[in-house]
Amino acid sequence: MATDLHAPDVLHGLAGLRFGHPVYIYQQIGSTNTEAKRLAEAGAPEGLLVMAETQTAGRGRAGRHWLTPPGGALAFSLVLRPALPPAQAARLTMLAGLAVCEGIELASPLRVELKWPNDILVNGKKAGGILVESGLQGDRLDYAVVGIGLNVSQAPGADQVEFPATALADGAGQPIDRLRLLRACLNRLQAQYARLADGEALRADWTARLAWLGEKVVVTTADGALSGQAEGVDADGALLIRGETGEALRLVAGDVRLRQG
Ligand code: BTN
């Protein structure tokens, strides 16, 4: 079926990269993550990429729906087979976030921040997200699927999202070439993947990009809301907050927003 992401162009765009081979390109799919997981469970090699022009059941963190307007987005999922203890699996979300920021900055004039734990922010609005899903074999990671969704030229409306959204092209004030962006992201994913064991390096780079660093934030968790000053992340991607009475808080899941007043 015809697609705006023409297979020959994609193959040409990914030439010479280690990640992105083989590549499966769909005009429409339910979720690239679901398909990549299926292929990983069937033995797909590290580096396999599933991408789609549009998704009918794109998934975000915490069971949220992810919108992929045809022609206006990038939606792709990469199969990895990391030598990583399951307890450190959140490092994959860290490295993917950094790689996507760097890829966007290589392919556009934008400067990009990270909203913990998995959001790509441009001018304080969400331009993309990352969903890492992994499979275990016994007590080790068998595979991980790194799913990346970017609003390239279209963003969902305020009534469709919980956090304000934007598109990269709107922030940049110019069109963004999707294939150039894809290549830059995969290139940086390869480079960051080599640093996986070095949680300290990931921590420092992540903290440098953390939205609202040093500011008062509210984190909504399954156990309720906590507020305090954002101090950074640790080597395994947990958010570090200095609570209202000076206590050190370490959060592994939740939604962060800037505290008003
Ligand atoms: C989030 O912001 O919560 C994460 C969004 C991740 C969306 C991407 S799009 C490609 C891949 N396929 C999916 O179904 N989800 C991820």
Side-chain angles (χ1 to χ4, degrees):
M1 192 184 291
T3 169
D4 289 343
L5 290 167
H6 297 288
D9 296 344
V10 175
L11 288 172
H12 181 71
L14 300 183
L17 291 176
R18 187 165 81 83
F19 288 172
H21 302 282
V23 56
Y24 293 81
I25 309 161
Y26 292 88
Q27 169 68 15
Q28 178 175 300
I29 199 169
S31 156
T32 57
N33 258 39
T34 302
E35 179 62 3
K37 279 171 67 177
R38 189 186 70 74
L39 291 166
E41 277 160 19
E46 176 162 280
L48 178 142
L49 187 71
V50 178
M51 58 190 299
E53 189 69 65
T54 186
Q55 301 181 109
T56 55
R59 296 184 285 107
R61 192 170 59 89
R64 291 175 190 140
H65 190 53
W66 182 260
L67 295 167
T68 309
L74 267 183
F76 58 96
S77 301
L78 177 71
V79 172
L80 297 176
R81 298 209 179 262
L84 197 68
Q88 293 178 0
R91 291 186 188 186
L92 292 160
T93 302
M94 294 178 87
L95 84 83
L98 286 172
V100 171
C101 288
E102 291 167 356
I104 293 169
E105 291 179 356
L106 282 169
S108 78
L110 291 166
R111 287 292 159 264
V112 191
E113 287 185 308
L114 288 162
K115 178 163 112 38
W116 184 83
N118 66 330
D119 292 347
I120 306 294
L121 292 196
V122 169
N123 299 328
K125 293 182 180 173
K126 179 162 171 167
I130 289 154
L131 179 65
V132 176
E133 299 181 291
S134 45
L136 292 178
Q137 194 142 64
D139 58 358
R140 66 169 190 85
L141 273 185
D142 179 32
Y143 69 85
V145 165
V146 176
I148 294 168
L150 293 172
N151 306 329
V152 182
S153 60
Q154 287 182 60
D159 55 333
Q160 295 174 294
V161 287
E162 294 180 19
F163 189 84
T166 191
L168 299 173
D170 292 340
Q174 64 184 60
I176 308 280
D177 183 311
R178 284 190 299 166
L179 281 184
R180 185 172 166 222
L181 178 61
L182 173 68
R183 183 180 174 88
C185 289
L186 288 173
N187 208 354
R188 293 314 301 160
L189 279 162
Q190 288 180 189
Q192 291 291 352
Y193 192 50
R195 302 169 81 205
L196 191 55
D198 192 349
E200 191 50 35
L202 294 173
R203 181 202 68 75
D205 288 354
W206 234 89
T207 296
R209 288 190 181 269
L210 182 66
W212 310 316
L213 180 65
E215 297 191 61
K216 300 272 191 204
V217 295
V218 178
V219 190
T220 307
T221 73
D223 300 324
L226 297 161
S227 63
Q229 188 174 13
E231 293 197 321
V233 294
D234 73 10
D236 289 316
L239 182 65
L240 306 175
I241 299 281
R242 184 65 54 185
E244 299 294 340
T245 54
E247 72 278 27
L249 302 170
R250 180 182 186 273
L251 301 169
V252 295
D255 286 304
V256 190
R257 61 182 164 81
L258 192 62
R259 201 175 79 179
Q260 303 298 325

